[in-house]
Amino acid sequence: MAKYHFENLCMADSAMQKVVGTARSLAATNYTILITGESGTGKELLASSIHNASARANCPFVAANFAAIPENLIESELFGYEEGAFTGAKRGGSMGKFQLAQGGTLLLDEIGDMPMPMQAKLLRVLQEGEIEKLGRQKNIPVDVRIIAATNQPLEEMIRSGRFREDLYYRLNVFPITLPPLRERRGDVALLARYFLRKFALGQGKDVPDFTPPALARMEAYEWPGNVRELENVVERMVNIVPDGQAAGESCLPSVILEREFRSPPQQEEPEQEEMILSSGLLLTREAESIEEALRRTGGNMRAAAALLGVSRGGLYLKTKRLGIDAGRWRK
């Protein structure tokens, strides 16, 4: 079920507004869309909004997350199976995601985690518009709009032989890239206050706002886990703060409080050199966060990603962009 609409999206950042404007215009079409962006940037939320603004809004919105489906179950999850198709098959068989999404939208989430053999089968379905259920001889026509999403570098995966080039071009009809929260600095306070109202209302608490020092720290933080991390932090703050008080620095997690922080100077139009320096400081802080996580986990990328609240694919992208070698912490 598609829970989100474009009206639910909070943003003031011009780049994000442009992305949403593009998504709105594509909602009226039936084109395949590929949404890319780091973990926690809101790819499923955007896909849901596109579906709800489309002519398919009254039909199902179904998501298949390939990072969460065991490899040996992907085919039956996508295409379904007939009774007796394999040992343990459910009586009466089962419909797959494609059939469940008939007439509506199918979100192929974390498409970069799909194994190569399944990529070939998915490509055939997208080309033919038919699925082959396990244990069934006759193919079944399907009418679904495809939206794919990933936080992985698919073009690099093509070069290394881990993703099919023909499938990539089939999915990448209209690409949309969601910017990370660190590039949406003006949206941090807006989103934080939205989540504050949401969680305070849910818990029946009166939390009027954040204190200025707490909000300043939140705006200076690099948010490696993006909007999802910000939402989790605000939920924690609402749980901790006494009823009737503003959420202060003491409610912030240590990962934010431990970062070196100086209140930014009050200046209406910062000079270009200062803007470049600020950008460099943000990158330095992000690198420090990643290096600390890798040090604490002995260079284990999966564990470090969990510690930072990002996906392993997202962490791989960040380490490559920042020139960080995880191997130096491995024993």
Side-chain angles (χ1 to χ4, degrees), residues 1 42 83 108 193 252 316-317:
M1 181 179 178
E83 181 176 344
L108 302 176
R193 287 185 167 122
L252 288 168
Y316 168 81
L317 285 175

Side-chain angles (χ1 to χ4, degrees), residues 206-327:
D206 175 23
V207 185
D209 201 352
F210 301 96
T211 64
L215 196 59
R217 280 191 177 272
M218 293 167 73
E219 290 181 315
Y221 182 59
E222 63 274 14
W223 298 107
N226 293 294
V227 180
R228 184 183 298 128
E229 182 186 10
L230 174 61
E231 182 176 11
N232 292 340
V233 165
V234 174
E235 182 177 17
R236 176 185 186 274
M237 295 177 79
V238 172
N239 272 288
I240 293 173
V241 66
D243 194 19
Q245 292 187 18
E249 289 179 284
S250 62
C251 300
L252 288 168
S254 59
V255 68
I256 297 178
L257 293 173
E258 289 170 0
R259 294 289 169 267
E260 183 180 351
F261 172 76
R262 284 186 294 178
S263 297
Q266 297 299 316
Q267 189 173 338
E268 291 184 2
E269 296 184 3
E271 297 293 331
Q272 184 67 21
E273 289 184 3
E274 291 177 344
M275 291 173 67
I276 294 172
L277 176 61
S278 175
S279 176
L281 285 172
L282 288 172
L283 290 175
T284 300
R285 289 170 181 157
E286 183 178 19
E288 288 173 353
S289 299
I290 292 171
E291 289 179 343
E292 174 63 16
L294 288 168
R295 184 190 66 77
R296 290 170 61 182
T297 60
N300 185 307
M301 291 288 282
R302 185 184 295 275
L307 192 64
L308 291 167
V310 301
S311 71
R312 185 171 58 173
L315 182 58
Y316 168 81
L317 285 175
K318 290 174 186 289
T319 55
K320 185 170 183 178
R321 177 171 57 84
L322 296 168
I324 298 172
D325 178 15

